[in-house]
Amino acid sequence: MEMEIEEQGETGKNVMCQLTDPEGNHLGPPMYLPQNAAPKELQQIVNKLLNNEEKLPYAFYISDQELVVQLGTYLQKNKVSVEKVLPIVYQLQAVFRIRPINRCSSTIAGHTEAVLSVAFSPDGRQLASGSGDTTVRLWDLNTQTPMYTCTGHKNWVLCIAWSPDGKHLVSGSKAGELQCWDPQTGKPSGNPLIGHKKWITGISWEPVHLRAPCRRFVSSSKDGDARIWDVSLRKCVICLSGHTLAVTCVKWGGDGVIYTGSQDCTIKVWETSQGKLIRELKGHGHWVNSLALSTEYVLRTGAFDHTGKQYTSPEEMKEVALERYKKMKGNAPERLVSGSDDFTMFLWEPADSKHPKTRMTGHQQLVNHVYFSPDGQWVASASFDKSVKLWNGTTGKFVAAFRGHVGPVYQISWSADSRLLLSGSKDSTLKVWDIRTHKLKQDLPGHEDEVFAVDWSPDGEKVASGGRDRVLKLWMG
């Protein structure tokens, strides 16, 4: 009886809380926490409960809002009832911090038509760009000058993709041909890969944790097919046919399946040994424009991380990449987000269900680009409604809208620590947004026309952008 009285007396000062991970798994039973507990104290508790040998940094969220003050202050400000158990989500943060980008370090001329795509290599040491002038260019990031001009395409280069082991670069053109390049020499590796009848809309490589060295990639095309190519055999090994209209985007998932999004409003999931259709994801009322995977960042970077470590063998690379993938994915299934011309997005867990987990609404115009943060915690979406929106990557719940662009937003990219988001727009500016404060961190004018392509290097040091003004800009912190 005494015990009960004591507990009741305590509840004035204490709050009954339940710590959970982002997937909703409880960390121990609910516990009373003092109202003066702040993130620092919560970090100590989580590290202790998880038996972490080194103390790791965590952030804490109450209904998608980061807790940055004492518990009591938060409860008062948000008028939260202490009658019920308060769920607090803990999320592991990147141990390293990326400096915000704030200045243009160089403007590199060279392309004679618009720059349509830019991409850093997985280790962040090289940069490639594709242009309407039919060339791919490789740039030396140390001297910030052009290194190689890769010629051979007969039409606009619409997309480029590095293999996650960094050994190959593939480009796809408006004529429907693909070309593989050796990034060390800038020379083509063999003849163009022919098969698609219309232009290439996307390229995605098989993850290095599934096969090293990297050999296979998949391309999507306006002709309605996706094709798997083997760069060693220099040919198409599987054609994925089934969409009734153009395939607009493609992703090769960490579990080995391929996702294709199409103007026929469906997303198809394919296995990759024979190219059989596994399932179809339906729900969108208009074209699917963009797909993003929760594991995308580790799939793109493979074994490379912010430390810049290089590897001697494909086996070692495969092993490290698998470890990074498993750690990133945890026990949860790989998640997929789709963005559409119907102004909405869907969050899926395709391995578990053909039905969407949630429908994400709020954009007033078509959703052009969707992208998961490297830690999988957030989804960002870019739209023709001039806004960028932020969503919870696990639940799909809306978190914040970033407004400031005065034209459609074409492309977005994340910093490696998931703390900053970059956007490029028709309004000729790049903007950097702070995920914690939901505010504009940096406005980066400088381009003379529309910015079509942006990328943030995996090592976090640089941002590249390109657009209608034909120049490539590099930005630093």
Side-chain angles (χ1 to χ4, degrees), residues 265 267 282-285 291-292 336-340 342 344-348 355-361 370 372 396:
C265 309
I267 297 150
K282 289 180 173 167
H284 281 298
L291 293 174
L336 179 77
V337 159
S338 54
S340 164
D342 64 13
T344 74
M345 297 146 65
F346 279 110
L347 176 66
W348 314 81
H355 301 293
K357 205 172 160 179
T358 187
R359 183 166 180 251
M360 300 149 78
T361 59
V370 290
F372 269 94

Side-chain angles (χ1 to χ4, degrees), residues 26-59:
H26 292 182
L27 179 58
M31 62 177 98
Y32 278 110
L33 292 176
Q35 293 212 12
N36 63 0
K40 193 175 148 211
E41 287 75 29
L42 291 174
Q43 280 203 31
Q44 291 168 345
I45 294 168
V46 169
N47 273 300
K48 195 170 173 189
L49 289 172
L50 290 171
N51 299 320
N52 291 335
E53 283 175 22
E54 341 163 31
K55 298 292 167 261
L56 296 171
Y58 291 91

Side-chain angles (χ1 to χ4, degrees), residues 297-310:
Y297 185 78
V298 291
L299 298 184
R300 173 191 168 174
T301 51
F304 300 109
D305 62 14
H306 64 283
T307 60
K309 183 172 169 3
Q310 297 289 309

Side-chain angles (χ1 to χ4, degrees), residues 310-328:
Q310 297 289 309
Y311 298 91
T312 45
S313 74
E315 294 72 37
E316 185 190 8
M317 225 179 220
K318 185 177 176 185
E319 209 172 294
V320 175
L322 182 60
E323 211 170 293
R324 285 186 78 215
Y325 173 71
K326 281 182 172 163
K327 192 175 168 189
M328 152 73 227

